[in-house]
Amino acid sequence: MILGNIRFKLIIWYIFILGIILTAFSTFLYFTLSRSLHRGIDVKIKSIGEVIASSSTNPYSQYSFSNIDRMLEDSFGLKPVTKFIQVLDESGRIGRKSQNLQHFQLPISIRALKNASQGKITFETTKALGKYPLRMVTVPVIRGRHIINIVQVATSLEQVGEALKTLLLILWITVPSALVVASLGGLFLANKALKPVDEITKTARMITSKRLDQRIKLRKTKDEIGRLAETFNDMISRLGQSFKQIRQFSADASHELRTPLTILKGEMEVGLRRRRRPEEYRKILNSNLEEVNHMTQIVDDLLFLSKADMGEVHLQKHLINLTKLVSEVGAQAKMIAMAKDIKVHISKDSDVPVIGDRLRLRELLLNLVDNAVKYTPEGGEMMISLERDDDRVKLRVMDNGIGIPTEDQPHIFDRFFRVDKARSREAGGSGLGLSICKWIVEAHGGEISVESEVAKGSLFTVTLPLAPPDGRE
């Protein structure tokens, strides 16, 4: 479990990266200090060698090879306790050496002799006289074009070794200590950074279909965690709204189906109470058929909307002359409106092409016309108009019927929504017609809106994209 913990992973990565950085820095520091110390040793012993060489070639010098220690003390202000000096003649025999080399001698390599014969200075690290190796410089003493002496100056690398050993010990202590402190700090930071995630997890576990009111407390800072919490809250709000709509939809569907079933049951019970004449049974059966047709329409509309929600309704889009379609539906509207003596006016532009499904667009128009006829009193008027508007098409269905209250207009396209009193079940329909209209319009890339005033009528406006000149989508 701990290996799958994001805190553990963050700390491990943090320590790993910090360990690499500290190791690289320590390595760089160690080798930089080592190079600097060795370079300082080389400069110092070279300076001593050059001083001795210049004194030996100066005939007026007060020093000679017999008093090397005093010359160095006067020149550098210290006693060369850790410096080993010896002077060789041109044949390689030792002439003079410092007092600390009374019983020893510095070795000279073939490479150093060869370089000296060419007038070159040679630096070497040679075996130790004690615990630590020696750093040695070989300086030729040239008079004219001839080598008269060879000066060798060496010093122990004890101080360099001790300094590097001390540094290494410090690094061995500080780097692991820093990693331990960093791991504790990383754990603290990880806990602090992931605390909102724990809150999100805790809140998510509390959320059920009956407790969709839970929300995560938003942080003041708009960082990634804050945006995650905000997104999570938005998602829960949408889920809550969806569950609310589903519950409302289920309740409305149950109510819509319960009413005709209750009527069917009541009429059948009445018909079975006593023997009746054939005409009475025929009347009961006709009433039952009406209720069955009403339930069939509800079920068909529900099935259509369910398939539409799941993306299983596929439109057969083609180039359509919307003007002809409006003319056909307008003729049907006049026949439907004739029973209520409603006048139907049609206004349309010629040849208005759109890309769409003819059957679905026809269903859209018939639903809007049927609504206008239902809720327009006898002797009223309604109008169907079609016109171009730049690259859009506007289709309007207007009536002077009972109208829709302002507070109900935002919900008019909701499923099973009926305006109180006026839009009752007696007016017919399933309560899903306008929901289907909205889906058809949006599936064609358009918009539908309503403007209405009580007792003055309603205006439904459908806006669709005009077909491109080449007739393609």
Side-chain angles (χ1 to χ4, degrees):
M1 289 295 291
I2 192 172
L3 294 177
N5 193 318
I6 191 171
R7 287 183 177 84
F8 178 78
K9 292 180 179 179
L10 286 174
I11 294 171
I12 290 299
W13 276 107
Y14 179 65
I15 294 175
F16 176 72
I17 294 174
L18 182 61
I20 292 177
I21 294 173
L22 290 178
T23 301
F25 173 75
S26 300
T27 303
F28 172 77
L29 180 62
Y30 180 86
F31 284 105
T32 301
L33 179 61
S34 175
R35 179 179 296 180
S36 177
L37 292 175
H38 281 87
R39 187 182 295 114
I41 292 292
D42 288 348
V43 170
K44 186 171 292 186
I45 60 177
K46 181 183 176 183
S47 300
I48 295 174
E50 289 176 344
V51 168
I52 295 173
S54 63
S55 298
S56 65
T57 57
N58 185 1
Y60 301 103
S61 175
Q62 58 177 324
Y63 305 109
S64 64
F65 288 142
S66 59
N67 52 7
I68 291 176
D69 293 331
R70 190 167 64 86
M71 177 185 65
L72 293 179
E73 185 176 354
D74 293 342
S75 299
F76 294 95
L78 51 81
K79 292 184 179 181
V81 178
T82 59
K83 303 297 184 293
F84 305 98
I85 304 166
Q86 69 180 17
V87 180
L88 297 87
D89 58 18
E90 65 275 9
S91 62
R93 293 190 301 269
I94 299 175
R96 295 285 187 269
K97 56 184 176 180
S98 57
Q99 293 180 0
N100 53 12
L101 280 178
Q102 291 300 324
H103 305 291
F104 305 96
Q105 68 178 43
L106 297 176
I108 183 167
S109 64
I110 297 176
R111 184 173 71 90
L113 286 173
K114 184 178 179 181
N115 288 340
S117 65
Q118 297 174 0
K120 297 179 181 178
I121 297 175
T122 304
F123 288 96
E124 296 174 300
T125 300
T126 185
K127 63 182 180 179
L129 294 178
K131 181 180 178 182
Y132 292 92
L134 296 176
R135 185 65 173 170
M136 184 171 61
V137 65
T138 302
V139 180
V141 180
I142 301 174
R143 181 178 294 171
R145 294 185 178 181
H146 302 283
I147 297 175
I148 59 174
N149 292 109
I150 297 175
V151 178
Q152 288 183 295
V153 181
T155 186
S156 174
L157 294 178
E158 178 179 0
Q159 293 181 347
V160 174
E162 291 296 330
L164 294 177
K165 186 183 294 185
T166 302
L167 175 63
L168 197 60
L169 179 62
I170 292 172
L171 293 177
W172 274 111
I173 295 174
T174 56
V175 170
S177 301
L179 292 178
V180 171
V181 173
S183 64
L184 296 176
L187 179 61
F188 171 77
L189 293 176
N191 288 332
K192 187 175 181 62
L194 295 176
K195 185 178 179 181
V197 178
D198 290 337
E199 294 177 0
I200 294 174
T201 303
K202 183 179 179 181
T203 304
R205 288 175 177 171
M206 296 171 59
I207 294 173
T208 63
S209 60
K210 297 180 180 180
R211 296 191 62 185
L212 289 171
D213 58 335
Q214 298 293 323
R215 293 294 183 273
I216 300 171
K217 295 181 180 179
L218 296 177
R219 303 167 55 142
K220 295 181 180 180
T221 56
K222 295 294 182 179
D223 55 6
E224 289 80 359
I225 301 297
R227 291 196 296 271
L228 175 62
E230 187 175 355
T231 303
F232 189 84
N233 285 342
D234 292 340
M235 181 190 70
I236 297 303
S237 298
R238 292 194 298 270
L239 284 176
Q241 186 65 26
S242 298
F243 272 90
K244 182 180 178 181
Q245 291 176 351
I246 290 172
R247 285 193 292 266
Q248 184 66 38
F249 181 76
S250 300
D252 291 340
S254 300
H255 175 75
E256 291 291 331
L257 291 174
R258 186 187 299 114
T259 302
L261 286 174
T262 302
I263 294 173
L264 281 173
K265 181 181 178 182
E267 290 178 345
M268 289 179 183
E269 289 175 348
V270 170
L272 292 173
R273 283 177 185 172
R274 61 181 176 83
R275 191 181 297 275
R276 298 177 181 275
R277 295 192 305 272
E279 292 78 10
E280 293 177 324
Y281 285 118
R282 186 183 300 276
K283 184 178 180 181
I284 292 174
L285 290 175
N286 284 333
S287 177
N288 288 347
L289 181 61
E290 290 180 4
E291 298 303 327
V292 170
N293 288 335
H294 182 66
M295 285 193 297
T296 301
Q297 182 183 359
I298 292 175
V299 172
D300 288 343
D301 290 344
L302 281 173
L303 181 61
F304 173 82
L305 289 173
S306 177
K307 289 182 176 180
D309 290 340
M310 293 186 293
E312 295 180 1
V313 178
H314 303 289
L315 301 179
Q316 304 296 325
K317 292 185 178 182
H318 304 284
L319 181 63
I320 300 172
N321 189 337
L322 197 57
T323 303
K324 293 182 180 180
L325 186 59
V326 169
S327 298
E328 294 175 8
V329 175
Q332 292 179 315
K334 290 179 180 180
M335 294 178 61
I336 297 171
M338 192 180 297
K340 296 179 68 174
D341 194 25
I342 296 174
K343 294 181 181 180
V344 179
H345 304 282
I346 301 175
S347 173
K348 57 185 183 297
D349 289 346
S350 59
D351 297 328
V352 179
V354 295
I355 300 294
D357 188 316
R358 181 180 178 82
L359 291 178
R360 295 302 176 193
L361 290 176
R362 185 173 182 275
E363 182 180 2
L364 165 69
L365 284 169
L366 285 175
N367 275 336
L368 294 178
V369 167
D370 185 59
N371 268 353
V373 173
K374 283 179 183 177
Y375 303 113
T376 299
E378 292 187 6
E381 296 183 358
M382 61 174 291
M383 173 178 284
I384 304 173
S385 66
L386 175 66
E387 63 179 359
R388 297 170 182 254
D389 185 12
D390 295 329
D391 60 343
R392 312 287 287 178
V393 178
K394 286 195 174 181
L395 174 65
R396 296 183 176 92
V397 178
M398 182 173 61
D399 63 67
N400 60 351
I402 59 177
I404 305 170
T406 303
E407 63 273 12
D408 292 329
Q409 292 178 21
H411 309 287
I412 197 66
F413 297 104
D414 294 348
R415 298 173 187 183
F416 290 119
F417 181 81
R418 294 178 183 273
V419 178
D420 293 341
K421 297 180 181 179
R423 308 236 164 169
S424 62
R425 183 177 177 275
E426 285 72 14
S430 63
L432 298 171
L434 288 178
S435 298
I436 294 175
C437 288
K438 182 180 180 182
W439 182 88
I440 294 173
V441 172
E442 292 178 348
H444 284 79
E447 298 175 352
I448 185 170
S449 61
V450 61
E451 298 176 23
S452 184
E453 189 174 347
V454 177
K456 290 188 178 181
S458 303
L459 169 63
F460 286 86
T461 303
V462 174
T463 305
L464 297 172
L466 192 66
D470 58 2
R472 297 180 181 179
E473 288 189 72

